[in-house]
């Protein structure tokens, strides 16, 4: 917000230091129709989406004064007829957090989805540990180089004994566009915003989406992002974490967060897991009713008969009366803000340096090719010129037409003549006597016959 009477000043918002310098677009939406302390409605739009915006904000607003006798008039599209002054400073504490919409119990099967930042907590048995489930769940940010440990467990209040087993089937990771927070409501009847599939299905509202783990189709998983590996594994695939899978009603996975720092800062990431709960004897997910459809499946993202996106196979179910039940749950993942900013900056700087280096190398190659072609052309011209000045060489038994040169006076003979080269001994006075222009005999034991084209000529 600016005023023409004070061109160097502008209204703006200064964010708390711990938010890493994210910017807000400030806009005046409405103002009371008076110059006497009017009520105003302002809107601040963040340039990045964050789960937690809490902190003390500093707002600088430009005051604009008028004469006491001046009455208020709507200026329309013109600036207010007032005099601007230096910005006034206001400190405003704000406590605001974006909460994730929980997955409905009918789909989560009353499970807990936890994130841990160390191996010790990850290996704790929730039924035997004195640490509460709330304390086990890590709510802080993951920094670059850390390993994320995720685990899903059924609620201890369900009292499902070792006769039942929870097994992870898939792990998804995604982040939204323009502040979009993914949530799961496949029927669209719980939150009344239409069918929503979280990270499971592609969406125009998702900026990035990855399938990190798939127990049945590991070959279709996303292993890298910008050449940085996720190194995601099920706990059951790592010998050190077998105790996790041996706990009743618990299963987990591990992954590295380094690849997420390749995305520009300000994105909120979400993890979504798909799992099954059934008898201890289960060896995999139950076979869906549409077996033929499953066998024909070649991609993890399906389309219905109308060409629209369909729900993932493992979530097409009704759990009524089934022994094996499918479930899903979601969890937000936070990254260190400052590290994300520096990583994104380094990534962009590296890309710029790489582009400049590639351009220099391309220019160097072009110059090298030009120099090579020029040198080749010069050699060709030089060779051609030297070939034109030197006498030609001919094989034996070849007749060559040429004009005879007088060795005494250096004059041309206008009569036409030819010479025959044979492999005999030469009986002549001097070597230059029978040297004709355009032909030279280099071998020693040769006989050269010069034939004059006159009727009364002689033969030597």
């Amino acid at each position: 917000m600016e005023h023409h009477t004070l061109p160097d000043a502008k209204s703006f918002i200064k964010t708390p230091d711990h938010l890493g310098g994210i910017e807000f677009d400030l806009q005046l939406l409405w103002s009371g129709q008076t110059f006497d302390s009017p009520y105003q409605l302002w809107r601040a739009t963040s340039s990045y989406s964050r789960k937690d915006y809490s902190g003390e904000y500093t707002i600088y607003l430009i005051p604009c004064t008028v004469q006491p006798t001046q009455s208020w008039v709507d200026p329309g599209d013109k600036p207010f007829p007032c005099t601007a002054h230096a910005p006034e400073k206001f400190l405003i504490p704000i406590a605001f957090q974006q909460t994730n919409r929980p997955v409905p119990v009918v789909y989560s099967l009353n499970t807990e989805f936890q994130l841990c930042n160390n191996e010790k907590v990850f290996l704790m048995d929730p039924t035997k540990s004195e640490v509460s489930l709330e304390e086990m769940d890590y709510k802080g940010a993951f920094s670059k180089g850390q390993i994320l440990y995720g685990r899903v467990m059924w609620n201890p209040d369900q009292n499902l004994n070792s006769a039942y087993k929870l097994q992870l089937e898939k792990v998804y990771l995604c982040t939204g566009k323009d502040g979009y927070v993914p949530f799961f409501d496949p029927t669209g009847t719980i939150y009344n915003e239409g069918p929503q599939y979280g990270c499971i299905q592609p969406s125009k509202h998702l900026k990035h989406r990855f399938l990190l783990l798939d127990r049945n189709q590991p070959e279709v998983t996303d292993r890298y992002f910008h050449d940085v590996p996720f190194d995601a594994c099920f706990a059951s695939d790592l010998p050190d974490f077998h105790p996790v899978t041996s706990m009743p009603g618990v299963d987990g996975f591990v992954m590295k967060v380094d690849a997420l720092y390749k995305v520009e800062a300000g994105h909120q990431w979400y993890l979504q897991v798909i799992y099954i709960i059934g008898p201890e004897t289960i060896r995999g997910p139950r076979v869906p009713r549409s077996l033929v459809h499953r066998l024909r499946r070649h991609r993890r993202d399906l389309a219905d008969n109308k060409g629209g996106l369909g729900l993932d196979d493992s979530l097409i179910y009704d759990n009524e009366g089934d022994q094996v039940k499918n479930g899903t749950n979601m969890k937000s993942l936070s990254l260190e803000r400052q590290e994300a900013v520096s990583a994104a900056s380094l990534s962009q700087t590296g890309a710029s340096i790489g582009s400049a280096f590639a351009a220099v190398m391309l220019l160097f190659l072009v110059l090298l090719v030009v120099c090579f072609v020029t040198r080749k052309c010069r050699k060709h011209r030089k060779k051609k010129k030297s070939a034109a000045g030197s006498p030609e060489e001919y094989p034996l038994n070849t007749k060559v037409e040429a004009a005879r040169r007088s060795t005494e006076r250096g004059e041309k003979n206008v009569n036409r003549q030819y010479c025959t080269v044979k492999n005999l001994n030469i009986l002549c006075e001097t070597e230059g006597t029978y040297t004709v222009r355009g032909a030279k005999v280099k071998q020693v034991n040769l006989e050269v016959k010069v034939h004059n084209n006159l009727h009364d000529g002689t033969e030597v």
Side-chain angles (χ1 to χ4, degrees):
M1 298 296 295
E2 302 173 347
H3 198 271
H4 66 282
T5 60
L6 195 64
D8 296 333
K10 185 178 181 180
S11 298
F12 66 97
I13 295 180
K14 184 180 178 182
T15 56
D17 293 337
H18 69 273
L19 294 183
I22 63 174
E23 297 179 354
F24 282 82
D25 179 31
L26 192 61
Q27 183 181 5
L28 177 62
L29 299 180
W30 176 85
S31 179
Q33 298 183 357
T34 177
F35 287 125
D36 187 13
S37 302
Y39 286 97
Q40 294 180 331
L41 178 62
W42 294 79
R43 180 172 65 189
T45 306
S46 172
S47 56
Y48 292 110
S49 173
R50 290 185 58 86
K51 184 178 180 181
D52 190 358
Y53 289 93
S54 300
E56 188 175 65
Y57 291 76
T58 306
I59 302 179
Y60 294 88
L61 298 177
I62 299 175
C64 207
T65 59
V66 297
Q67 296 296 326
T69 57
Q70 184 175 337
S71 58
W72 190 89
V73 178
D74 188 356
D77 295 334
K78 298 179 181 179
F80 275 103
C82 58
T83 304
H85 300 273
E88 294 284 343
K89 177 181 175 182
F90 301 90
L91 297 177
I92 301 179
I94 295 177
F96 173 71
Q97 291 181 332
Q98 292 191 86
T99 57
N100 301 331
R101 298 181 183 183
V103 175
V105 176
V106 66
Y107 302 116
S108 69
L109 305 180
N110 199 20
T111 55
E112 299 284 340
F113 185 11
Q114 294 182 339
L115 300 182
C116 307
N117 66 337
N118 65 77
E119 184 178 330
K120 183 179 179 181
V121 177
F122 183 60
L123 295 174
M124 285 184 180
D125 189 339
T127 60
K128 300 177 181 179
S129 176
E130 297 180 356
V131 182
S132 65
L133 294 179
E134 186 73 17
E135 293 174 321
M136 288 182 183
D137 191 13
Y138 179 67
K139 296 180 175 60
F142 288 86
S143 58
K144 193 173 183 181
Q146 273 193 301
I147 296 177
L148 180 148
Y149 304 86
R151 65 180 186 175
V152 182
M153 64 192 75
W154 62 53
N155 194 303
D157 296 337
Q158 295 186 77
N159 195 26
L160 297 175
N161 54 35
S162 58
Y164 286 87
K165 176 182 179 181
L166 184 150
Q167 179 176 285
L168 284 175
E169 294 296 322
K170 298 181 182 181
V171 180
Y172 289 90
L173 175 71
C174 68
T175 182
K177 279 183 188 174
D178 303 323
Y180 173 74
V181 177
F183 61 97
F184 189 78
D185 181 14
T187 62
T189 57
I190 296 176
Y191 296 113
N192 297 319
E193 293 189 19
Q196 302 288 331
Y197 303 114
C199 299
I200 292 178
Q201 296 288 32
S203 168
K204 63 181 180 180
H205 301 296
L206 296 179
K207 185 175 180 66
H208 297 288
R209 171 182 169 273
F210 307 101
L211 174 59
L212 299 181
L213 292 170
D214 190 329
R215 196 177 292 276
N216 296 321
Q217 292 181 287
E219 68 278 1
V220 301
T221 57
D222 299 299
R223 301 180 183 275
Y224 298 88
F225 182 50
H226 288 304
D227 298 326
V228 180
F230 288 109
D231 287 340
C233 292
F234 288 112
S236 56
D237 295 335
L238 301 172
D240 292 342
F241 300 130
H242 281 176
V244 175
T245 57
S246 65
M247 301 175 193
V250 181
D251 199 2
F253 66 95
V254 298
M255 63 167 286
K256 292 181 179 179
V257 299
D258 291 11
L260 306 186
Y261 281 93
K262 288 295 182 179
V263 179
E264 60 271 18
H267 287 86
Q268 181 68 53
W269 291 93
Y270 297 88
L271 285 162
Q272 184 169 6
V273 290
I274 295 177
Y275 44 88
I276 55 176
I277 297 178
E280 174 64 26
T281 56
I282 62 173
R283 292 291 179 265
R286 67 186 176 96
V287 178
R289 292 180 175 85
S290 180
L291 179 59
V292 176
H293 177 67
R294 181 66 176 253
L295 292 176
R296 290 178 180 174
R297 179 188 178 197
H298 297 289
R299 297 168 53 194
R300 62 177 182 270
D301 298 325
L302 304 178
D304 57 24
N305 295 330
K306 298 179 181 179
L309 289 175
L311 188 60
D312 190 279
D313 278 351
S314 56
L315 289 177
I316 302 176
Y317 64 93
D318 53 4
N319 278 326
E320 290 288 334
D322 288 336
Q323 261 198 323
V324 178
K325 301 179 185 294
N326 298 314
T328 186
N329 213 332
M330 295 186 70
K331 190 80 172 178
S332 63
L333 161 64
S334 299
L335 301 177
E336 288 288 349
R337 169 69 194 178
Q338 294 291 347
E339 290 190 15
V341 172
S342 59
S345 176
L346 287 174
S347 177
Q348 293 174 358
T349 303
S352 301
I353 293 174
S355 301
F357 179 75
V360 171
M361 289 300 296
L362 182 62
L363 182 61
F364 176 75
L365 288 175
V366 170
L367 292 175
L368 194 63
V369 170
V370 171
C371 292
F372 178 77
V373 171
T374 304
R375 188 176 179 183
K376 197 79 174 176
C377 291
R378 286 180 179 175
K379 280 187 175 181
H380 183 68
R381 285 198 299 266
K382 190 174 180 181
K383 187 176 181 181
K384 196 172 181 181
K385 193 179 293 183
S386 61
S390 61
E392 298 181 13
E393 298 180 10
Y394 296 90
L396 298 178
N397 298 317
T398 303
K399 291 185 178 182
V400 181
E401 290 189 1
R404 183 175 179 178
R405 179 186 300 173
S406 175
T407 57
E408 296 178 359
R409 294 182 299 175
E411 295 178 357
K412 289 184 180 179
N413 191 333
V414 294
N415 295 326
R416 298 189 59 82
Q417 57 189 11
Y418 63 90
C419 67
T420 302
V421 182
K422 290 185 178 180
N423 192 16
L424 296 172
N425 188 27
I426 292 180
L427 299 174
C428 58
E429 297 178 2
T430 61
E431 180 184 354
T433 305
Y434 295 108
T435 299
V436 294
R437 188 162 84 180
K440 181 180 179 181
V441 179
K442 284 192 173 181
Q443 297 189 26
V444 180
N445 294 320
L446 298 176
E447 177 189 35
V448 179
K449 290 185 179 182
V450 178
H451 309 273
N452 199 307
N453 62 353
L454 297 177
H455 295 290
D456 55 351
T458 58
E459 178 177 317
V460 180

